[in-house]
Amino acid sequence: MRLLVTGGAGFIGANFVHHWCQAYPDERVVVLDALTYAGNIENLALVERRENFRFVQGDICDRSVVDELLVTENIDTVAHFAAESHVDRSILGPAAFVQTNVVGTFTLLEAFRQYWEAQKKPSNYRFLHVSTDEVYGSLGPDDPAFCETTPYAPNSPYSASKAGSDHLVRAYYHTYKLPTIITNCSNNYGPYQFPEKLIPLMCINTLLGKPLPVYGDGKNVRDWLYVGDHCRALDVVIHHGKLGETYNIGGNNEVENINLVQILCQLMDELASDLPVSSAKHLITFVKDRPGHDQRYAINANKMKTQLGWTPLVTITEGLRLTVEWYLTHPDWWKPLLSPEYQAYYSQNYS
Ligand code: NAD
Ligand code: DAU
């Protein structure tokens, strides 16, 4: 395969590139990433010198860049990760979310369609659209988990923009028979996740002796999946997924936020030396809730299991330990990310 990975310098994209380069060392991988605040070329340091690898800094909304890459690199598979991905930022400034997530996805689809048609519609071409469980909205405590037929009900500008992009991908399959597949995944965690997200934020704030801000009553539930398991799932979908289908991917690990933060505190107490407090849990602080905060997400990943034979391998206990250890041993990675821009966002969000 000759793969174009959009957003490959972000959290999941970079983990996916690592996975792909290790699993298929002879295959060409081209990353297109705008290097927004969330993109970091350091995330690709392990692969950037490979002969089969190329990084291009560019915007998925820029049609000429996309057109040129598809042709010059003779791409047959697009794995589309590029997005604005943080719910809190979408509440503070939704425009970038509509631009990248909706207009950017549309630009890629149009470029890929014309390229695929000009090549006489080869049957091996693929467009994988990486999406989120948040498009399904919010569950009550006793509701069944989201499955592929759950109606869309996005509640934040982020999830609405991802839902819009999913609908465009679906329409391109139905109208043009463009060879697309959509995946909707639950909350990922693991190495290279930007500090603004819950798990890295808790690890980093503990090391800095800063409050650990828990929104509302801390009883919101997320279904956590180790990022390596997500990457394996996407690999299986690219190779064996059925065109035009949607696959839900999840960890079957529902945890209340406050419980997760307490587990992280215990791990920090155990694994970190020289914490600035006697126990991380003393830093837990309940703060004003996120507006429109979805109560619960849960994924029914039976289709992935029964049709494609995928199940997660990393337990939440193993995965959280690996993740905490990674942040403890990589201060050189996360310290530069606490930039003035990040501090400004942080003050605005948490003031
Ligand atoms: P991220 O924010 O860490 O990375 C996004 C990447 O996209 C960055 O490298 C950024 O520079 C790049 N990017 C942003 N706008 C761009 C543009 N206009 N052109 C080119 N590149 C651009 O995001 P993530 O957490 O790695 O998520 C990746 C994808 O997976 C997203 O589509 C997200 O919706 C989806 N997803 C994420 C999760 C999760 O828990 N993080 C779960 C399910 C689905
Ligand atoms: O469900 C998949 C989604 O998971 C992805 O589509 C998104 O890109 C990804 O960012 C993530 O969204 P969440 O909003 O669930 O993730 P986040 O890490 O921001 O928050 C997880 C939970 O923790 C959520 O209920 C809000 C809460 N939270 C978050 C932060 C940053 C806090 O209580 N305090 C915080 O400071």
Side-chain angles (χ1 to χ4, degrees):
M1 279 182 194
R2 297 182 64 88
L3 207 63
L4 175 64
V5 182
T6 72
F11 162 49
I12 306 174
N15 277 283
F16 178 78
V17 169
H18 293 160
H19 165 89
W20 200 269
C21 289
Q22 203 161 18
Y24 313 106
D26 297 331
E27 294 189 1
R28 179 75 167 161
V29 176
V30 180
V31 167
L32 174 63
D33 195 298
L35 295 183
T36 67
Y37 80 91
N40 184 353
I41 193 67
E42 293 300 319
N43 296 358
L44 296 168
L46 290 176
V47 296
E48 70 184 348
R49 281 195 197 84
R50 282 174 172 258
E51 247 178 45
N52 274 336
F53 177 79
R54 178 178 170 202
F55 175 78
V56 177
Q57 183 171 0
D59 192 326
I60 55 165
C61 302
D62 185 339
R63 179 67 193 267
S64 57
V65 171
V66 177
D67 281 343
E68 206 217 308
L69 270 185
L70 291 174
V71 172
T72 56
E73 290 289 348
N74 199 13
I75 296 299
D76 53 44
T77 304
V78 175
H80 175 34
F81 294 86
E84 288 293 337
S85 71
H86 192 39
V87 174
D88 293 321
R89 289 197 192 236
S90 83
I91 296 166
L92 297 171
F97 287 73
V98 174
Q99 181 63 19
T100 286
N101 300 358
V102 182
V103 179
T105 301
F106 166 70
T107 308
L108 279 177
L109 284 167
E110 260 305 272
F112 192 65
R113 176 175 77 85
Q114 287 178 21
Y115 166 72
W116 173 71
E117 285 174 352
Q119 312 273 318
K120 309 249 182 308
K121 305 185 180 179
S123 60
N124 63 319
Y125 280 29
R126 294 286 177 276
F127 186 104
L128 170 71
H129 177 62
V130 180
S131 192
T132 171
D133 59 359
E134 301 203 7
V135 298
Y136 298 120
S138 182
L139 293 170
D142 299 322
D143 288 337
F146 302 129
C147 60
E148 287 79 1
T149 52
T150 302
Y152 274 34
N155 290 319
S156 72
Y158 163 68
S159 52
S161 66
K162 290 295 291 186
S165 65
D166 292 10
H167 289 324
L168 281 168
V169 176
R170 178 192 153 90
Y172 269 66
Y173 173 75
H174 281 273
T175 307
Y176 306 110
K177 295 290 172 279
L178 194 72
T180 62
I181 304 178
I182 299 173
T183 55
N184 294 92
C185 187
S186 64
N187 285 64
N188 282 217
Y189 68 101
Y192 300 103
Q193 189 166 30
F194 194 79
E196 67 195 354
K197 303 285 169 66
L198 180 72
I199 289 178
L201 187 94
M202 295 299 155
C203 298
I204 291 168
N205 279 16
T206 301
L207 291 171
L208 300 176
K210 289 176 66 175
L212 306 181
V214 177
Y215 294 158
D217 60 6
K219 297 215 176 293
N220 303 70
V221 172
R222 295 293 182 265
D223 175 357
W224 293 94
L225 177 69
Y226 191 67
V227 65
D229 277 329
H230 187 191
C231 294
R232 277 194 312 105
L234 298 176
D235 181 339
V236 174
V237 169
I238 288 174
H239 282 101
H240 305 291
K242 218 172 136 208
L243 298 183
E245 294 279 313
T246 287
Y247 295 92
N248 280 2
I249 302 170
N252 210 11
N253 275 315
E254 287 188 57
V255 190
E256 277 186 2
N257 289 340
I258 186 63
N259 290 346
L260 183 77
V261 172
Q262 278 161 349
I263 296 168
L264 289 169
C265 287
Q266 282 163 13
L267 284 167
M268 290 300 289
D269 287 352
E270 181 193 332
L271 299 172
S273 48
D274 296 335
L275 280 188
V277 276
S278 59
S279 171
K281 66 177 187 288
H282 299 317
L283 296 170
I284 294 176
T285 310
F286 289 92
V287 299
K288 195 166 114 274
D289 209 351
R290 172 187 279 175
H293 195 175
D294 284 337
Q295 187 58 39
R296 173 178 164 238
Y297 303 143
I299 280 278
N300 175 341
N302 273 342
K303 184 172 171 183
M304 281 296 296
K305 186 175 176 184
T306 55
Q307 295 191 11
L308 300 182
W310 173 89
T311 49
L313 296 179
V314 179
T315 66
I316 185 94
T317 312
E318 289 164 344
L320 287 177
R321 182 171 280 267
L322 284 172
T323 304
V324 169
E325 280 170 349
W326 192 87
Y327 282 92
L328 286 174
T329 50
H330 290 78
D332 294 348
W333 179 86
W334 57 259
K335 278 189 179 160
L337 302 179
L338 311 182
S339 63
E341 188 279 335
Y342 179 74
Q343 304 297 351
Y345 153 74
Y346 198 93
S347 308
Q348 196 185 0
N349 194 53
Y350 293 96
S351 62

